[in-house]
Amino acid sequence: MKKLWIIFMALVTVFGLAACGSSGESGSSESGGGETDDTVKIGISLPSATHGWMGALIDSAEKQAKALQESEGIEYVMTNAADPNKQANDVDDLIAQDVDAIVMLPIESAALTPVGQKIKDAGIPLVIVDRELENDAATVVVKGDNEGIGVNAGKFFVEQLGGKGKVVEISGPPSSVTEQRGAGFKEAVEGAEGMEIIASQSGDFSTEKSLEVMQNILQANPQIDAVFTQDDGMALGVLQAIEEAGRTDIQFVTGAGGAKQVFEDIKNDGLMKATFLYSPTMVEDAVKIAADLAKGEEPAETMVVKEATQVTKENVDEYYDPESKF
């Protein structure tokens, strides 16, 4: 009898342990699977903050992503890269993390075009900001009116110089932004027979690089009437070079972006006479659109273009914010 009781208790223990083990594994699988299926995550791939505009854009992107995380529980992963190779690796990591949508500002259009295609082939919606790719990989593009910046600046030059003058162009690195702004400017300026672009060099969207480039241009050209820069940060480097050289022949400089320091120079009747809006806050729209795409929604439009408003002494007070970080 004792022997039968021992066998009975052993069987109860074995079945009890088996039941507990089965129940634990099932619960863990269901819980983990539910979290993975329900969580929406976006990836954000941006360049490093090499200048003020990009720094402001990065801040705006993270601010918007955090707001969505708090209000809707949408997770995000943000990466920053100093060169195209690093950005390509960052995107590979985002794809491997199985994010539901990606926001990307390509460091260089041509170099990142294959990366955009890789995102598309992975079936991940892609929102491109600022600099476009050379293919149709993007689901949505959010940008400023780059061609409009160039055209508006060119018209300003022709008007201010009376259709006659020697001008310099300081451009950005290879990208759709640089190409479109440059093409628009040349189109407007070359329409006036008396206008001549005597030098066009890249300042890499860097104040320091533009200072160096402009110093060389000033040494090589004894007469310059005005300077078109494709970025407010580069304009500041140009202004410093002109001031240090003591040049008085240059009548004005223009920029693009909407930097506080540039607005202040315009307000104070400095050499900066105009800039054309290209707000870094455009990335907030891109992050919100990516969140919608990640949730399976269709985009309202595939191309979002911000207006290239001209800012001069007449209207600078409408846009100047003394508390702005940019």
Side-chain angles (χ1 to χ4, degrees):
M1 192 70 180
K2 182 177 180 182
K3 189 174 182 180
L4 289 173
W5 175 254
I6 292 172
I7 293 172
F8 172 74
M9 291 303 296
L11 289 172
V12 169
T13 302
V14 169
F15 283 116
L17 289 173
C20 289
S22 173
S23 175
E25 287 174 7
S26 176
S28 174
S29 174
E30 289 174 6
S31 175
E35 288 177 2
T36 301
D37 292 341
D38 293 343
T39 300
V40 174
K41 181 187 294 184
I42 61 174
I44 305 172
S45 172
L46 305 175
S48 300
T50 54
H51 58 291
W53 188 90
M54 192 63 72
L57 181 135
I58 292 170
D59 286 345
S60 294
E62 185 142 33
K63 177 182 177 182
Q64 184 59 60
K66 284 181 177 178
L68 287 169
Q69 187 176 54
E70 293 173 1
S71 63
E72 301 182 35
I74 295 174
E75 296 184 1
Y76 71 94
V77 180
M78 181 177 290
T79 65
N80 301 101
D83 59 73
N85 288 333
K86 173 63 165 58
Q87 188 170 29
N89 290 334
D90 288 345
V91 171
D92 283 341
D93 289 342
L94 293 175
I95 293 173
Q97 292 183 54
D98 198 26
V99 296
D100 298 292
I102 290 177
V103 176
M104 180 170 71
L105 196 165
I107 292 176
E108 293 181 6
S109 296
L112 274 300
T113 291
V115 175
Q117 187 62 47
K118 185 181 293 188
I119 295 171
K120 182 178 181 180
D121 291 344
I124 300 173
L126 172 61
V127 183
I128 288 293
V129 186
D130 183 32
R131 306 169 193 173
E132 296 174 73
L133 301 176
E134 296 180 350
N135 60 9
D136 63 351
T139 309
V140 178
V141 174
V142 180
K143 65 174 188 173
D145 186 0
N146 288 300
E147 185 175 357
I149 285 175
V151 170
N152 292 347
K155 290 179 178 178
F156 182 83
F157 273 61
V158 173
E159 177 185 329
Q160 295 296 310
L161 297 175
K164 183 178 181 181
K166 296 181 177 181
V167 301
V168 166
E169 176 188 35
I170 305 298
S171 64
S175 69
S176 62
V177 169
T178 295
E179 293 168 4
Q180 291 167 8
R181 292 183 187 182
F185 182 72
K186 289 180 177 65
E187 175 188 335
V189 168
E190 291 174 354
E193 295 182 2
M195 301 289 290
E196 179 185 3
I197 301 175
I198 60 173
S200 179
Q201 293 188 32
S202 174
D204 290 339
F205 287 155
S206 162
T207 300
E208 294 75 16
K209 177 67 173 179
S210 299
L211 167 62
E212 177 186 333
V213 166
M214 193 63 198
Q215 287 172 333
N216 295 332
I217 291 175
L218 290 170
Q219 292 176 2
N221 297 276
Q223 177 61 42
I224 299 172
D225 293 300
V227 182
F228 163 60
T229 72
Q230 293 188 1
D231 167 73
D232 281 349
M234 296 196 299
L236 296 176
V238 168
L239 291 175
Q240 183 178 343
I242 294 171
E243 181 180 357
E244 291 177 354
R247 293 284 289 264
T248 58
D249 52 313
I250 299 170
Q251 299 177 38
F252 63 87
V253 176
T254 67
K260 178 170 68 174
Q261 196 170 343
V262 166
F263 285 159
E264 290 171 347
D265 197 76
I266 293 174
K267 284 169 63 72
N268 296 326
D269 293 317
L271 203 56
M272 286 294 303
K273 297 302 181 187
T275 190
F276 302 87
L277 294 186
Y278 198 83
S279 175
T281 60
M282 69 175 70
V283 75
E284 295 177 9
D285 289 343
V287 172
K288 287 186 282 188
I289 291 169
D292 290 339
L293 294 174
K295 292 182 292 185
E297 299 178 16
E298 291 295 320
E301 50 189 332
T302 58
M303 181 71 70
V304 180
V305 182
K306 303 294 186 178
E307 186 177 352
T309 303
Q310 177 175 296
V311 180
T312 62
K313 183 68 178 294
E314 284 68 33
N315 65 344
V316 67
D317 288 332
E318 297 177 30
Y319 303 99
Y320 176 66
D321 177 8
E323 304 301 321
S324 174
K325 293 181 179 180
F326 170 53

